[in-house]
Amino acid sequence: MTLRTLSPRVPAHAKKQTNAQLSQQEWLCHTAAATPAELFCELNSGEEGLRAGQVDEARAFWGANATAQAAKRPAPLRLLAAFADPFTYILVFIALVSVLTDWVFADAGSRDVTTPLIIGVMVLVSGVLRFVQDEKSTVAAESLAEMIETLANVERDGDGGNPIPLDEVVVGDVVHLSSGDVVPADLRIFAARDLFVSQSSLTGESEPIEKRASLANPGAQGGTPADGDGALTDLADLAFMGSTVISGNARGVVVATGARTMFGEATGTLAGRKRQTAFDEGIRSTSRLLMRLMAIMLPIVLVTCGITKGDWLAALLFSLSVAVGLTPEMLPMLVTCCLGKGSVDLSRDHVIVKRLDAIQDLGAIDVLCTDKTGTLTEDRVVLERHLDLNGNDDPRVLRYAFLNSYFSTGVKNLIDRAIVERALAEGTDETPVAPGLSAEELAERWHAVDELPFDFERRRLSVVVGDAQGQTRMICKGAIEEVLAVCTDVEVDGCVRPLTDEERSRVTSRAEALANEGMRVLGVARKANPAGAGSLTVEDEREMTLIGYLAFLDPPKASSAEAIRALAAHGVATKVLTGDSARVAEHVCRSIGIPVDGVLTGEEVERLGDEELAARVQEASVFAKLSPAQKARVVRILRGLGHAVGFMGDGVNDAAAMRESDCGISVDSAVDVAREAADIILLEKDLMVLERGILCGRRTYANMIKYVKMTVSSNFGNIFSVLVASLFLPFLPMTAVQLLLLNLVYDLTCTAVPWDNVDEEMTRTPRRWDTIGIRGFMTTFGPLSSVFDVITFAALFFWVCPAVAGGAWGTLDAAGQALFAGTFQAGWFIESMWTQTLVVHLIRTEKVPFAGSRAALPLCVLGAVGIAVACVLPFSPIGAALDFYALPPMFFALLALVIVGYATCVLIARSRYIRKHGELL
């Protein structure tokens, strides 16, 4: 039966209750107020979920589970977008001015299309290359991201629930939620146990919100929130797409998917946008620097050329060409290309990049904050000891712990699995878990009655179990301090006695002794026939009896020590942020070589103000017993101190800190919410993989900044050369179209920069986008090229050009002056191409060029081709069309002297620059 054929069976008023006929708010309020039976009837579903044949019908009727952000613009629009940047607009403007002047001031037979033609080629090459690289990078990123897929546990045909991709969820599906899950769509909760979710992605609230399955929802009266100021997110029986389950479990029916969800509506206006990062700000600040320079230099060049040459229209075109010449038009394409290549390189190291810009952010980090378990340790927790309060092995402690872990409904973490595995193993030994009962028999004898799930504030988990006789037991396990807080008695040698200060001190001392051996210690407590069984609350966790300890060991990874040393050698300090005890964290850190310079606990972090905490986080390397909010606060403080911070984690408690960091790092086995928050995902849970990723990020950044610094400094030098030439020469040193062509040829030779080799020295320290450094580099090396341009000008004007034209400028007729100017312009065109290409090899490395460090073959080949084109062009018909004239052999002898002198001076300036700034790039 399809959804459409069902509607006649629905009451008349309910025919309107569809996403297509009601507003989003009206529909969600209606689903919150309806009973589950009414809602299942409307959705043609049931508690056992949809039948196989109904899934496609539901998707067709209600829509797919895809938000507006997932929509991809058509290829023609993406191609047009590749041409949308301010520098392209300037080029198009110059072309239009050139065409208009030709049509207005030139005769029909003498109109010249060379300028607009070359500008058109520049625009076409830049835009097409950018489009191609964007497409390649997007495809690479999408194919890598598809390797990491978030799943939802969906029940269909009463199969009990199976994981499926989020985009396959449809309205009417029954979804099972548990700790660590991302809510896949808007759900109406019809069964829940202690469900707490974080709605921070929708509301910004950091505190978890309890959701329940009340049939008489106090938050929904008449289909609207309870009070006029209420929000949909306050409705207690609705869970919204993008929320994350902090604790507990639930079942809910999907009532809205994709763009019709709260999350989809909120993100609909943000389609195509991405969050701004430090990398984005670096690109923007560099662009602002270039635009300011253009705004300053354009009127200066215009006025100078207009006054000295008398041709204001030509001066306008030339000044616009100079402004374009200052700007690296290929920067967007080069950045995309570098990042795309970096993502592919990282994939070879088993690293998946979800956000391309994160590659540079990864290379920039100087502080790595990491969780302890599974990152520094083997992620193989073993229950070493189960002890009574005297420190003796006690199978009763294991029995209670087994029941607690076995019947808990949340995500089974490493500790729960270790307890269950140990209990099953001991059940086959001569000493079973309980006399006469194996672990399997215990599980059959007892059944779950109620539960208080673990959360990061209480730091404990309580389960109530019952037997066939109606007897119930509450069993609590958790951090020893938190379990002690709800105990009033202790059991020693089979006798229960009050928990005195002396007993408390003895318990904590024994726990500390175990922690000093590198073990994580939990307490186990019990309570017979708790009053709140069946409707358990936190208030029922009281007056319990402590019966013993559980001591776990998660051995440090063999590779962790090597990775920590490698990270330190590359300028990355490692700080451990864990919810575990300080003693365990210290023991692990010392065993793998992390200096324990200071320890801060969650209690201290909570007590300190931001200024006080900022003074302490610099020195501390271990942060223990932190809540998720405290982890995020430490990361935020570190970033505020100017550090680039990466956070690596895999649990629910790590997601907030990952979002606060410059680069969130997780692993493919992490919980859904951690993978969703991450920018980088490791396919191997190993810090050595991360270290290789950091190096790849630094190589990517090195090639990007290499292009920017080289190009901006060369073009900046050309501006000074133009100003000098404009003041003293009776003609333009290069026409607008010649200058544009020079810029095009040079930019094309730089398209191989992303594949250039990077010296190992450039990857040893963190690298961040530095606009001030770009400005200093530009003002150091730019004027140096101008010095040799002026030398070339003088030699051309007083020696080469008179020899070619047959006399000095003032003695020549119009034809002779045209020959003189064309020879001069061809000479500077060739010299500029040589110096700009040569400087790529001189300042791409701090080593001896060509000997100590060689550029990649593609960069060498393109550079050689560019120089060859520049040298041959004046001798070709194309050169004649550009008003170039052939140069005599004496010019090339002069050129050789200029190149040698320029290279020598650049190397000297490079050494001084390195001594002053400590680095070149």
Side-chain angles (χ1 to χ4, degrees):
M1 183 181 295
T2 66
L3 290 168
R4 296 185 187 276
T5 59
L6 170 72
S7 52
R9 298 175 51 199
V10 181
H13 75 277
K15 291 182 181 180
K16 300 178 181 179
Q17 313 305 321
T18 70
N19 271 346
Q21 295 167 313
L22 291 179
S23 71
Q24 178 202 51
Q25 177 161 330
E26 290 171 335
W27 171 250
L28 290 177
C29 288
H30 166 75
T31 61
T35 66
E38 292 171 341
L39 195 56
F40 283 131
C41 182
E42 289 188 49
L43 301 179
N44 198 18
S45 183
E47 288 196 28
E48 295 183 348
L50 296 172
R51 295 186 297 276
Q54 297 175 301
V55 174
D56 291 337
E57 296 168 355
R59 185 178 292 109
F61 188 78
W62 299 95
N65 195 27
T67 65
Q69 283 181 309
K72 191 173 183 179
R73 289 182 297 179
L77 292 181
R78 299 200 302 274
L79 177 60
L80 289 176
F83 293 89
D85 72 85
F87 310 132
T88 299
Y89 302 152
I90 294 173
L91 289 172
V92 173
F93 176 72
I94 293 173
L96 290 175
V97 171
S98 176
V99 170
L100 288 174
T101 54
D102 262 359
W103 277 87
V104 173
F105 298 105
D107 296 331
S110 61
R111 287 170 181 158
D112 184 12
V113 297
T114 307
T115 296
L117 181 62
I118 291 181
I119 292 175
V121 172
M122 292 184 70
V123 171
L124 186 64
V125 169
S126 176
V128 170
L129 282 176
R130 190 181 312 165
F131 172 73
V132 170
Q133 289 302 331
D134 278 339
E135 291 296 295
K136 288 173 65 177
S137 299
T138 301
V139 169
E142 288 176 350
S143 62
L144 291 172
E146 286 174 0
M147 297 173 64
I148 299 297
E149 191 169 45
T150 301
L151 304 176
N153 190 7
V154 174
E155 181 173 354
R156 290 174 179 168
D157 286 325
D159 59 9
N162 286 297
I164 66 171
L166 296 192
D167 57 4
E168 294 183 14
V169 174
V170 298
V171 171
D173 270 331
V174 171
V175 177
H176 293 243
L177 298 176
S178 59
S179 177
D181 287 347
V182 174
V183 179
D186 287 355
L187 307 179
R188 163 64 153 91
I189 304 298
F190 62 84
R193 175 177 291 179
D194 303 305
L195 179 68
F196 285 83
V197 302
S198 170
Q199 298 183 156
S200 59
S201 60
L202 287 172
T203 65
E205 298 171 294
S206 59
E207 293 299 317
I209 305 298
E210 184 177 9
K211 297 292 182 177
R212 55 185 181 272
S214 173
L215 296 182
N217 191 335
Q221 302 294 334
T224 59
D227 55 70
D229 297 326
L232 280 174
T233 51
D234 295 331
L235 296 175
D237 58 357
L238 292 184
F240 301 97
M241 183 181 194
S243 304
T244 55
V245 180
I246 302 301
S247 61
N249 59 87
R251 296 171 71 211
V253 60
V254 176
V255 295
T257 55
R260 294 291 292 170
T261 62
M262 285 282 290
F263 184 84
E265 183 180 71
T267 57
T269 59
L270 301 176
R273 299 183 188 177
K274 61 184 180 65
R275 69 184 179 103
Q276 297 298 305
T277 65
F279 173 74
D280 296 320
E281 178 56 35
I283 292 288
R284 284 202 307 273
S285 64
T286 300
S287 299
R288 288 195 295 267
L289 169 65
L290 297 174
M291 296 301 289
R292 284 196 299 268
L293 285 172
M294 282 179 15
I296 294 171
M297 299 308 298
L298 189 147
I300 294 175
V301 174
L302 172 63
V303 172
T304 302
C305 292
I307 292 175
T308 58
K309 309 303 178 293
D311 187 343
W312 286 95
L313 185 60
L316 174 62
L317 289 173
F318 183 71
S319 61
L320 288 172
S321 300
V322 169
V324 174
L326 174 65
T327 307
E329 299 91 349
M330 297 291 181
L331 177 59
M333 186 277 293
L334 261 294
V335 168
T336 302
C337 189
C338 284
L339 295 175
K341 180 180 180 297
S343 68
V344 175
D345 290 344
L346 283 173
S347 69
R348 299 190 185 103
D349 285 327
H350 307 287
V351 177
I352 293 175
V353 180
K354 290 178 59 182
R355 176 175 61 84
L356 275 182
D357 294 354
I359 297 171
Q360 194 275 330
D361 294 325
L362 181 62
I365 65 174
D366 60 344
V367 174
L368 174 65
C369 297
T370 177
D371 191 19
K372 174 183 65 67
T373 303
T375 305
L376 303 177
T377 58
E378 291 282 358
D379 200 10
R380 183 177 54 82
V381 175
V382 176
L383 178 57
E384 289 285 313
R385 311 283 300 276
H386 43 89
L387 310 171
D388 62 20
L389 297 184
N390 288 325
N392 301 316
D393 287 339
D394 188 345
R396 293 177 62 254
V397 174
L398 180 57
R399 176 183 66 184
Y400 280 108
F402 168 77
L403 292 173
N404 177 283
S405 294
Y406 183 82
F407 287 109
S408 66
T409 57
V411 174
K412 295 295 189 292
N413 57 29
L414 296 172
I415 285 176
D416 288 319
R417 288 199 290 267
I419 291 171
V420 172
E421 288 172 5
R422 179 65 180 270
L424 291 172
E426 287 210 0
T428 61
D429 296 339
E430 295 180 0
T431 305
V433 175
L437 290 177
S438 66
E440 292 90 341
E441 291 169 330
L442 274 175
E444 292 177 2
R445 175 176 174 178
W446 297 89
H447 62 272
V449 175
D450 208 345
E451 176 183 3
L452 279 175
F454 178 88
D455 65 56
F456 298 100
E457 298 301 324
R458 291 166 39 252
R459 296 170 55 79
R460 58 182 179 258
L461 164 67
S462 292
V463 171
V464 177
V465 295
D467 62 11
Q469 287 73 43
Q471 298 294 313
T472 58
R473 297 284 186 276
M474 177 191 277
I475 307 165
C476 177
K477 79 170 187 299
I480 189 70
E481 299 88 348
E482 312 303 337
V483 174
L484 273 172
V486 297
C487 289
T488 55
D489 300 294
V490 293
E491 182 177 320
V492 180
D493 296 328
C495 299
V496 176
R497 58 194 189 204
L499 176 60
T500 62
D501 290 341
E502 181 181 352
E503 289 288 352
R504 186 184 299 273
S505 176
R506 194 163 68 93
V507 167
T508 54
S509 296
R510 192 174 299 280
E512 288 175 1
L514 291 169
N516 288 336
E517 298 177 24
M519 296 185 185
R520 180 175 181 180
V521 183
L522 301 184
V524 180
R526 62 172 175 81
K527 181 179 182 180
N529 299 314
S535 57
L536 204 61
T537 66
V538 174
E539 287 71 24
D540 294 313
E541 283 184 319
R542 58 189 178 87
E543 299 178 354
M544 303 191 74
T545 300
L546 183 70
I547 63 171
Y549 314 94
L550 301 171
F552 301 86
L553 186 63
D554 186 5
K557 286 183 178 177
S559 62
S560 291
E562 180 185 356
I564 294 300
R565 287 194 298 271
L567 289 171
H570 288 96
V572 180
T574 304
K575 296 181 183 291
V576 176
L577 278 62
T578 180
D580 211 340
S581 72
R583 293 180 181 274
V584 173
E586 286 183 66
H587 177 85
V588 171
C589 289
R590 289 195 177 95
S591 65
I592 62 176
I594 298 179
V596 183
D597 300 320
V599 179
L600 277 177
T601 64
E603 183 180 348
E604 293 174 293
V605 169
E606 194 67 31
R607 190 172 62 249
L608 295 173
D610 284 352
E611 291 185 5
E612 297 171 300
L613 183 58
R616 297 283 301 277
V617 296
Q618 293 273 47
E619 292 79 20
S621 57
V622 176
F623 299 81
K625 300 190 70 175
L626 296 183
S627 68
Q630 290 166 347
K631 288 186 178 184
R633 185 183 175 209
V634 169
V635 170
R636 187 165 56 249
I637 293 291
L638 284 168
R639 290 188 68 199
L641 291 170
H643 293 287
V645 182
F647 190 95
M648 184 173 179
D650 62 353
V652 178
N653 58 331
D654 298 319
M658 290 162 66
R659 291 193 181 98
E660 283 289 341
S661 68
D662 291 286
C663 185
I665 306 157
S666 191
V667 293
D668 60 340
S669 59
V671 298
D672 291 347
V673 62
R675 293 206 309 270
E676 289 292 322
D679 302 305
I680 300 285
I681 294 180
L682 310 183
L683 298 182
E684 295 180 14
K685 203 170 186 180
D686 189 340
L687 284 180
M688 287 303 296
V689 175
L690 180 59
E691 188 256 351
R692 295 195 294 273
I694 289 174
L695 295 184
C696 182
R698 292 179 183 178
R699 287 192 294 270
T700 299
Y701 168 78
N703 281 332
M704 283 192 294
I705 202 68
K706 186 185 300 179
Y707 168 76
V708 173
K709 285 188 172 183
M710 292 184 305
T711 305
V712 171
S713 62
S714 294
N715 293 348
F716 185 65
N718 285 343
I719 288 179
F720 283 101
S721 303
V722 166
L723 286 175
V724 172
S726 300
L727 288 171
F728 297 103
L729 292 177
F731 52 86
L732 290 174
M734 216 182 287
T735 65
V737 67
Q738 291 167 354
L739 190 59
L740 291 172
L741 180 61
L742 173 66
N743 206 39
L744 172 63
V745 174
Y746 171 74
D747 279 338
L748 288 176
T749 66
C750 289
T751 56
V753 167
W755 285 268
D756 190 23
N757 302 320
V758 175
D759 294 341
E760 183 182 347
E761 290 77 8
M762 294 183 65
T763 64
R764 287 179 180 170
T765 56
R767 302 276 174 168
R768 301 187 75 172
W769 197 273
D770 181 14
T771 303
I772 295 176
I774 293 172
R775 187 165 56 213
F777 196 94
M778 178 177 67
T779 55
T780 298
F781 291 95
L784 183 60
S785 68
S786 297
V787 171
F788 286 88
D789 283 342
V790 171
I791 293 173
T792 304
F793 292 165
L796 285 168
F797 191 83
F798 293 108
W799 180 38
V800 177
C801 293
V804 173
W809 175 265
T811 65
L812 301 173
D813 57 14
Q817 288 183 349
L819 177 59
F820 191 105
T823 304
F824 184 99
Q825 290 164 347
W828 190 37
F829 185 92
I830 294 173
E831 186 265 350
S832 292
M833 191 65 209
W834 267 95
T835 54
Q836 287 189 96
T837 303
L838 179 63
V839 83
V840 170
H841 297 272
L842 296 179
I843 60 178
R844 58 168 292 278
T845 176
E846 297 181 9
K847 298 179 179 179
V848 178
F850 304 106
S853 175
R854 295 187 182 91
L857 181 61
L859 188 60
C860 294
V861 170
L862 282 182
V865 170
I867 289 175
V869 168
C871 291
V872 171
L873 194 61
F875 301 92
S876 69
I878 297 176
L882 295 169
D883 296 326
F884 283 144
Y885 286 88
L887 291 153
M890 68 172 67
F891 167 76
F892 291 97
L894 167 68
L895 178 64
L897 293 174
V898 170
I899 295 302
V900 171
Y902 178 63
T904 303
C905 290
V906 168
L907 292 176
I908 294 172
R910 189 188 72 173
S911 298
R912 292 179 177 177
Y913 184 89
I914 294 172
R915 284 198 299 270
K916 180 179 179 180
H917 297 278
E919 62 182 13
L920 182 63
L921 300 174

